[in-house]
Amino acid sequence: YMNEEMIRKKMEEYDPDVVVSVHPTMNYVPLFSIRTISEKVQRDIPFFTVVTDFGSGHCTWFNKDVDRMYLASEPIKQIAQDRGAVPDEKIVMSGLPIRYDFAAQADAMVDRTTPQGKAHQAKIREKLNIDTNKRMVLVMGGGEGVGSLSDIVNEVYAKLRTQGVDATICVVCGRNEKLKADLDTRCWDTVVSQSLQSYETLKSRFWTKVMTQHAHRSRRIQLALDRAAAKAEKGNDIADVPGNVDVVPLGFVSNMAEYMVAADVLVSKAGPGTIAEAAAVGLPIMVTSHLPGQEAGNVDIVLNGEFGDFCQDPETIGLEIACWLQDSQLLDVMSKKAKTVGHPHAAEEIALDIGKTTHQWMEQNELKRNGHK
């Protein structure tokens, strides 16, 4: 509270009718400040919090004295009530706010498993110059292209080639120009050769690993992996004809909604916005990492929602992605599960509700002023 006076003066400069917090550190001191301002100007000013975490969040998000709180999931609601004692009447289950592009694409595609959805996906792929006759895997590592992105791309490429899956791998390198240039010039035959050398020694360990690693993996995904494991035991896990796989390195992408529509599978870290965006367009996701703390809960959103899996080992990721892409029925089920979690219009609905509620408060303030005359 040492900076309260400074915060209050800055807020007074705006003369707000409403205050909306979208950060966990801005729910206690600013609320105290706006209550002080309200007393000074003799006008009620509502304070709303939009929680932008998905599966878990820091306790400073949840101040029970705010006037309304917008939440993205049931796990977050449970935390708000357990840690912050936020009453039901102040909670709005809104979904996570994401960019309008995703709402527009979700409305145009509706359901990627239907003929209409597939036609829209093909249209977007043509626009992006992506082969419409192949599967498409979208690999992301955040805006800076960080993490073990290079190793993951290598193993996804190698496993799709060796298992005979025709696919395009679009890699979002962000601002990592070095990685983008390296992918452009990489010798992919060498990548496959190196992967096969390690694969012979890791094969047995891998199939045990994918069958036992995650207690929360969905039953349908587990069954698909069981079938792949049985096939591997018979020595049928290397295709006679290699897959036709190409890698497309991308820089910083501003039309991410289109790329997610074009993709069949997303490979990414557990950022809340990324997961919400994928769910909005019904895109299955392989989560490869998460930051300690609140991002761990985002992994559970994917696992419990049954629209993806979590794995940190690049070779395991590659093998499981290859398994998914050879099972159209599994991809359709995962896509439908993702759609039930997605809220493509969350940002619009939150904004409209804030506007409507603020007008109600302003009308009440006007009535109070008239009543005092």
Side-chain angles (χ1 to χ4, degrees):
Y1 284 84
M2 291 188 296
N3 296 319
E4 188 276 327
E5 184 177 358
M6 184 186 306
I7 292 172
R8 175 159 35 92
K9 286 181 178 179
K10 180 58 67 175
M11 293 173 78
E12 283 181 308
E13 290 179 9
Y14 287 96
D15 187 26
D17 294 304
V18 59
V19 176
V20 181
S21 168
V22 294
H23 196 277
T25 64
M26 291 287 110
N27 296 293
Y28 285 85
V29 175
L31 178 60
F32 179 87
S33 297
I34 204 63
R35 296 296 189 245
T36 303
I37 293 170
S38 290
E39 291 181 8
K40 177 181 177 181
V41 300
Q42 292 296 294
R43 175 164 57 91
D44 293 330
I45 303 172
F47 189 104
F48 302 146
T49 297
V50 181
V51 178
T52 55
D53 277 320
F54 208 166
S56 57
H58 195 275
C59 58
T60 53
W61 272 119
F62 311 112
N63 186 341
K64 63 182 176 60
D65 295 323
V66 302
D67 298 297
R68 187 163 292 189
M69 185 175 294
Y70 298 87
L71 304 176
S73 69
E74 287 298 325
I76 282 286
K77 179 180 178 181
Q78 193 66 49
I79 295 170
Q81 295 182 322
D82 290 346
R83 297 183 185 175
V86 182
D88 274 330
E89 59 268 22
K90 291 187 176 183
I91 291 175
V92 178
M93 299 304 296
S94 60
L96 198 75
I98 55 178
R99 287 169 290 180
Y100 174 74
D101 289 357
F102 288 90
Q105 289 295 335
D107 289 346
M109 183 169 59
V110 183
D111 181 347
R112 67 169 62 227
T113 69
T114 65
Q116 175 188 344
K118 293 180 188 300
H120 181 70
Q121 184 186 56
K123 177 182 175 182
I124 295 299
R125 285 186 179 179
E126 289 174 355
K127 177 181 178 181
L128 299 175
N129 198 28
I130 295 171
D131 195 328
T132 59
N133 296 314
K134 295 181 179 181
R135 294 293 194 181
M136 198 276 251
V137 180
L138 181 63
V139 184
M140 296 169 50
E144 304 300 326
V146 297
S148 57
L149 202 59
S150 180
D151 293 338
I152 290 170
V153 173
N154 280 352
E155 290 298 339
V156 171
Y157 179 91
K159 298 308 181 279
L160 295 178
R161 276 287 303 275
T162 56
Q163 295 205 25
V165 181
D166 296 341
T168 297
I169 305 172
C170 291
V171 186
V172 181
C173 302
R175 298 181 180 89
N176 192 334
E177 293 294 335
K178 181 179 178 181
L179 174 61
K180 184 175 182 295
D182 181 51
L183 292 174
D184 268 326
T185 58
R186 186 167 295 180
C187 178
W188 295 104
D189 287 339
T190 301
V191 167
V192 174
S193 176
Q194 291 174 343
S195 178
L196 281 172
Q197 289 174 14
S198 63
Y199 178 65
E200 289 304 314
T201 61
L202 292 173
K203 182 168 61 176
S204 176
R205 178 177 66 84
F206 165 73
W207 291 117
T208 301
K209 186 175 183 179
V210 297
M211 289 189 290
T212 61
Q213 187 178 15
H214 300 302
H216 291 98
R217 177 183 289 135
S218 80
R219 182 173 176 272
R220 287 185 180 273
I221 294 175
Q222 186 63 65
L223 288 173
L225 297 178
D226 289 345
R227 289 192 294 270
K231 183 179 178 181
E233 288 175 1
K234 296 177 180 179
N236 297 326
D237 50 333
I238 304 296
D240 294 332
V241 179
N244 180 5
V245 184
D246 57 304
V247 177
V248 181
L250 305 168
F252 192 85
V253 172
S254 59
N255 56 335
M256 186 58 70
E258 291 181 337
Y259 275 98
M260 285 199 185
V261 166
D264 293 298
V265 172
L266 172 66
V267 181
S268 179
K269 66 187 288 290
T274 299
I275 292 173
E277 289 165 355
V281 294
L283 180 61
I285 179 169
M286 170 63 77
V287 180
T288 60
S289 64
H290 62 81
L291 295 175
Q294 68 267 26
E295 276 196 356
N298 300 334
V299 176
D300 290 335
I301 292 291
V302 174
L303 294 176
N304 293 332
E306 301 183 359
F307 61 99
D309 203 355
F310 170 65
C311 181
Q312 295 175 292
D313 175 62
E315 183 173 24
T316 308
I317 291 167
L319 283 162
E320 189 164 349
I321 293 298
C323 175
W324 291 2
L325 294 181
Q326 295 176 84
D327 192 332
S328 297
Q329 186 177 12
L330 174 64
L331 287 177
D332 285 352
V333 170
M334 292 168 70
S335 176
K336 289 180 182 295
K337 293 283 188 179
K339 286 286 286 183
T340 64
V341 174
H343 290 83
H345 291 278
E348 175 187 357
E349 291 168 0
I350 291 169
L352 287 172
D353 190 66
I354 287 173
K356 177 182 177 181
T357 307
T358 301
H359 273 286
Q360 292 172 350
W361 281 63
M362 293 171 68
E363 289 170 0
Q364 289 297 320
N365 285 328
E366 187 66 24
L367 289 173
K368 287 179 181 179
R369 279 196 294 270
N370 291 337
H372 290 157
K373 290 180 180 180

